Amino acid sequence: MATGFKVTRKGISASLDAGERELLRSLFADVLGMLAPDTPADADPLAAMVGLDTSARVPSDSALRRLLPDGVQGDDGEALEFRRLTERSLRENKTGALRAAALLLESKPLLLNAEQAQYFARALNDVRLVLADRLGLETDEDTERLHGITDPSQAQDVDGYLALVYNFVTWLQETLMQAMTRSLL
């Protein structure tokens, strides 16, 4: 059974059982798969160096649109241009955080320094964004409806199971953010 993150003398620590670690690894891997670009990096060395992606398009998957939102609202042309200039580096940053978080799951107990805690928090946030999209969460009321689902016997279908996973990841992220805040004091 997981214990939430807490500040210790050695860093920010949590305990996760094998099943919880495997669940998080699987979630991180799923989001990593979603973030893999459809096209390879530009062959032009300068374009590749600055992260320019001339083939960037608005994602058709709504969960991927939550991970990679438009940077400009109200002007599709400007939004696409901004996406071409920033999306590849955003994908790489998110991918790096997810990979780092997956590797951190190997330590028992899970012990994070300040930089590692940021990577882990970013990875958990991206997982939550995808789960929220898959569950159709748009409003605070939608989210409140799920908070009561904490017992595995309540999961009667895929959405019930996803709600359990969403609540677990939310709780874990909340304890991590509280520990990170306490570590600053």
Side-chain angles (χ1 to χ4, degrees):
M1 188 78 172
T3 62
F5 283 96
K6 61 185 178 223
V7 178
T8 68
R9 289 185 311 231
K10 294 181 179 182
I12 297 174
S13 176
S15 229
L16 301 171
D17 68 26
E20 293 160 340
R21 287 170 186 273
E22 188 53 39
L23 172 65
L24 289 172
R25 274 188 209 96
S26 176
L27 292 168
F28 294 159
D30 288 348
V31 177
L32 273 166
M34 292 176 67
L35 286 168
D38 294 332
T39 60
D42 199 304
D44 176 357
L46 180 60
M49 184 175 73
V50 298
L52 180 64
D53 188 353
T54 57
S55 64
R57 302 285 178 260
V58 176
S60 58
D61 181 351
S62 58
L64 194 53
R65 280 194 308 274
R66 280 195 188 192
L67 292 172
L68 306 167
D70 284 337
V72 176
Q73 300 298 316
D75 186 334
D76 292 344
E78 288 295 318
L80 183 57
E81 185 61 24
F82 188 79
R83 183 175 294 281
R84 288 179 179 149
L85 294 171
T86 61
E87 184 174 295
R88 185 152 313 258
S89 63
L90 180 58
R91 283 178 188 260
E92 289 169 356
N93 286 334
K94 288 180 176 291
T95 297
L98 287 157
R99 286 187 176 141
L103 285 172
L104 290 165
L105 287 170
E106 300 304 317
S107 68
K108 294 177 189 172
L110 183 55
L111 184 63
L112 310 173
N113 63 32
E115 182 180 16
Q116 292 167 331
Q118 289 180 14
Y119 289 133
F120 211 87
R122 289 170 43 201
L124 290 173
N125 189 62
D126 286 345
V127 166
R128 285 187 67 232
L129 286 172
V130 171
L131 290 170
D133 181 78
R134 298 300 187 235
L135 286 163
L137 303 180
E138 298 289 333
T139 66
D140 289 341
E141 291 79 25
D142 294 337
T143 306
E144 286 299 319
R145 166 177 56 84
L146 295 183
H147 282 317
I149 302 174
T150 57
D151 182 357
S153 67
Q154 295 173 297
Q156 302 299 319
D157 56 13
V158 172
D159 282 352
Y161 174 74
L162 285 178
L164 281 172
V165 173
Y166 177 83
N167 286 334
F168 171 70
V169 174
T170 298
W171 168 78
L172 194 61
Q173 183 184 29
E174 182 178 334
T175 66
L176 176 56
M177 298 311 291
Q178 289 172 351
M180 289 171 69
T181 302
R182 273 188 236 110
S183 72
L184 296 174
L185 302 176

